[in-house]
């Protein structure tokens, strides 16, 4: 039977909730109870409305400071937020490198700002049992834009993955209209053309391409990877039927037919996965240093033509071109992203419509302007108007828009190479398109800052790939969560070590059964049994 998520129940009953709350407020007033938290909130606030507090107010906000575009008090972003909403932000700036640790310390000590962005799903879990952060799903009646996005983007299956034992979720995530694939392989297209090879569509075809490159250039190791091979394992694993690299998580996958979890790194699918990449290493097609080298080393090998293939995203492929211009020479090469290759399961990819989001300090509920704060968060993070604003800036100042709605950066503004002649940077000088306040939204908005090549890649991925459904949530209580963590941590550490050992050949594949036995001795079955027990009782 289908499990109905809390998000769906809140969304369907939002009108009822509003009526009940109104009735409760009337009863409180009659009894002389003062629980007014509406304060500067708008009396009428709905989808499409510009939020503006009824009087000037201020909310505290934690800010992850990126070294490439450090926070400035006089950013146009902050000035415009205050002008449009009547809200000033009291910002606590934390270096990006220390953000996770500092955030934890502030929350644990009770000193965290009210609004805590740049929080990825799962990072809220340690703070739930203490009551330090707000069960935000209980307040969707104050967030019309967020609620509208749930329905428009069909977010229910993804929001269910955020639910905890009490059925609530404690993070307001960034939400994308579609899964947004970015990381894949970049290949030298000119080498493919020289060797009369087509762009590979499967991992088997990737192997064939690498073999032909090696035959033509014996001194080259055609594939030398960056991101310590974590990204490539992450994009490849789903099509083999397993999880690895950045996507390893706790190692669990869900069998939707039998409605139960299993430990993917112990399956034959995982064995097939490591066997494939071990074959690339054994044939001299994949550089074994890929799992240890710094990104700069991998990039230098590509630039020096010691390799022709490397993992990439939409930004790093531009870096590769710029560097290759200096070594190979502009016009003498072509490097592009290829669609993620298909594996034994076909053209499937993993991914989520969720992005990092916002936690809220539970103390904010006591603030007389709590309702106003929730309306403000709803507008700033989830309204289409504010999404364009935080991404592109102010119309006729940082960008222009033609009669068809197409956006273009102002003549003096640049961002990710969209307007190289611009002398000012959209993020550095104005604060827009940063990681704290700008994320999620429509595919149209996402594509609006992509060049034609990247849009072509995105459209090809959406047209040809099936996105695997997310695992359902396992709603552990505090004790169960601690037990699960104690079991999963040594298991996943051991999986990471041995996955790479099998791939590199430092552990022979003949020892696979022994490896599975070692996982069992480390509590694998207890971990899986706990997950299924909790899931079945939800």
């Amino acid at each position: 039977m289908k499990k109905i998520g809390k998000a769906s129940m809140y969304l369907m009953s939002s009108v009822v909730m509003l009526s009940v709350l109104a009735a409760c407020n009337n009863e409180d007033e009659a009894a002389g109870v003062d629980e007014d938290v509406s304060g500067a909130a708008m009396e009428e606030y709905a989808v499409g409305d510009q939020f503006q507090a009824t009087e000037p107010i201020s909310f505290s906000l934690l800010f992850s400071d990126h070294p490439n575009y450090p926070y400035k008090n006089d950013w146009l972003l902050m000035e415009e937020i205050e002008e449009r909403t009547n809200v000033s932000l009291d910002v606590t700036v934390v270096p990006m490198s220390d953000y996770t640790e500092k955030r934890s310390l502030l929350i644990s000590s009770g000193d965290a700002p009210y609004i805590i962005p740049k929080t990825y799903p799962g990072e809220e879990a340690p703070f739930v049992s203490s009551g330090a952060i707000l069960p935000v799903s209980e307040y969707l009646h104050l967030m019309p834009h967020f609620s509208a996005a749930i329905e428009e983007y069909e977010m229910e299956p993804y929001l269910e993955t955020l639910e905890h034992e009490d059925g609530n979720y404690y993070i307001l995530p960034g939400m994308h209209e579609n899964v947004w694939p970015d990381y894949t392989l970049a290949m030298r297209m000119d080498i493919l053309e020289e060797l009369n090879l087509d762009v590979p569509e499967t991992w088997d075809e990737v192997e064939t391409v690498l073999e032909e490159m090696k035959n033509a250039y014996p001194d080259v190791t055609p594939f030398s990877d960056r991101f310590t091979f974590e990204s490539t394992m992450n994009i490849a694993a789903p099509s083999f039927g397993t999880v690895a690299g950045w996507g390893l998580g706790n190692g669990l996958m869900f069998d939707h037919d039998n409605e139960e979890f299993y430990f993917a790194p112990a399956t034959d699918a995982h064995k097939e996965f490591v066997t494939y990449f071990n074959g690339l290493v054994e044939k001299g097609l994949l550089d074994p240093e890929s799992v240890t080298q710094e990104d700069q080393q991998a990039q230098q090998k590509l630039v020096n033509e010691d390799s022709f293939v490397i993992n990439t995203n939409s930004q790093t492929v531009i870096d590769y071109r710029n560097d290759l211009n200096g070594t190979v020479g502009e016009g003498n090469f072509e490097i592009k992203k290829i669609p993620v290759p298909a594996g034994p399961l076909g053209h499937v990819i993993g991914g989520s419509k969720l992005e990092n989001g916002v936690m809220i300090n539970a103390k904010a509920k006591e603030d007389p302007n709590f309702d106003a704060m929730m309306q403000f968060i709803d507008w700033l993070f989830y309204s289409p108007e504010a999404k364009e604003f935080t991404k592109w800036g102010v119309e006729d100042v940082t960008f222009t828009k033609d009669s068809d709605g197409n956006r273009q950066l102002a003549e003096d503004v640049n961002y990710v190479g969209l307007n190289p002649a611009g002398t000012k940077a959209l993020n550095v000088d104005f604060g827009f398109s940063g990681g704290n306040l700008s994320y999620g939204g429509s595919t149209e908005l996402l594509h609006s800052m992509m060049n034609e090549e990247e849009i072509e890649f995105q459209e090809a991925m959406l047209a040809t790939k099936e996105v695997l459904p997310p695992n359902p949530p396992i709603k552990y209580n505090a004790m169960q969560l601690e037990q699960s963590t104690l079991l999963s941590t040594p298991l996943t550490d051991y999986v990471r070590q041995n996955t790479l050992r099998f791939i590199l050949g430092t552990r022979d594949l003949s020892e696979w059964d022994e490896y599975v036995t070692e996982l069992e001795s480390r509590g694998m079955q207890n971990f899986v049994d706990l997950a299924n027990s909790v899931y079945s009782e939800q």
Side-chain angles (χ1 to χ4, degrees), residues 178-189:
N178 292 296
V179 171
W180 172 29
D182 190 10
Y183 288 84
T184 184
L185 299 182
M187 282 191 172
R188 284 280 299 271
M189 296 292 115

Side-chain angles (χ1 to χ4, degrees), residues 129-141:
S129 61
S130 67
I133 57 174
L134 202 70
V136 288
S137 55
E138 292 187 353
Y139 302 96
L140 300 191
H141 59 283

Side-chain angles (χ1 to χ4, degrees), residues 462-505:
L462 290 173
T464 61
K465 304 297 180 182
E466 176 188 354
V467 180
L468 294 173
N471 286 347
I474 307 172
K475 302 174 186 177
Y476 299 109
N477 62 31
M479 185 176 298
Q480 291 166 337
L481 179 61
E482 182 179 1
Q483 183 182 0
S484 174
T485 302
L486 288 173
L487 288 167
S488 67
T489 300
L491 279 173
T492 53
D493 286 347
Y494 198 69
V495 165
R496 289 183 187 278
Q497 296 168 12
N498 283 275
T499 293
L500 292 178
R501 290 179 65 196
F502 282 127
I503 289 173
L504 296 178

Side-chain angles (χ1 to χ4, degrees), residues 316-335:
T316 55
V317 72
I318 296 173
D319 296 334
Y320 303 154
R321 289 191 185 119
N322 292 336
D323 290 343
L324 282 163
N325 282 337
T327 55
V328 181
E330 188 171 357
N332 296 326
F333 69 92
E334 181 184 10
I335 187 167

Side-chain angles (χ1 to χ4, degrees), residues 275-396:
T275 299
Y276 170 80
F277 284 105
N278 171 257
L280 299 188
V281 172
E282 290 296 311
K283 294 178 181 179
L285 309 178
L286 171 62
D287 183 0
E289 293 183 357
S290 296
V291 305
T292 56
Q293 66 188 354
E294 298 290 334
D295 289 355
Q296 189 174 10
Q297 293 175 283
Q299 190 163 334
Q300 198 60 45
K301 290 177 181 178
L302 181 78
V303 170
N304 292 337
E305 297 193 293
D306 294 322
S307 67
F308 300 134
V309 180
I310 190 172
N311 196 280
T312 192
N313 58 37
S314 57
Q315 301 305 310
T316 55
V317 72
I318 296 173
D319 296 334
Y320 303 154
R321 289 191 185 119
N322 292 336
D323 290 343
L324 282 163
N325 282 337
T327 55
V328 181
E330 188 171 357
N332 296 326
F333 69 92
E334 181 184 10
I335 187 167
K336 291 180 65 174
K337 294 171 69 174
I338 69 167
V340 174
L345 295 189
H347 288 274
V348 298
I349 57 172
S352 175
K353 295 183 181 181
L354 300 179
E355 198 177 347
N356 70 83
V358 181
M359 289 189 294
I360 299 174
N361 188 332
K363 290 182 178 179
K365 184 67 177 67
E366 304 165 9
D367 193 290
N369 287 312
F370 173 73
D371 284 11
M373 187 188 74
M374 297 304 292
Q375 290 178 346
F376 168 74
I377 291 172
D378 177 70
W379 179 82
L380 182 64
F381 289 93
Y382 300 103
S383 73
E385 177 190 0
K387 285 187 176 300
E388 180 184 73
F389 159 64
T390 56
K391 192 177 187 70
W392 278 91
V394 180
E395 189 171 358
D396 296 327

Side-chain angles (χ1 to χ4, degrees), residues 127-167:
F127 313 113
V128 170
S129 61
S130 67
I133 57 174
L134 202 70
V136 288
S137 55
E138 292 187 353
Y139 302 96
L140 300 191
H141 59 283
L142 298 171
M143 306 187 71
H145 293 102
F146 183 94
S147 298
I150 295 175
E151 184 173 7
E152 182 181 356
Y153 297 167
E154 300 180 342
M155 294 301 303
E156 176 64 23
Y158 297 93
L159 291 176
E160 285 183 354
T161 67
L162 303 177
E163 293 176 5
H164 289 262
E165 184 192 17
D166 60 0

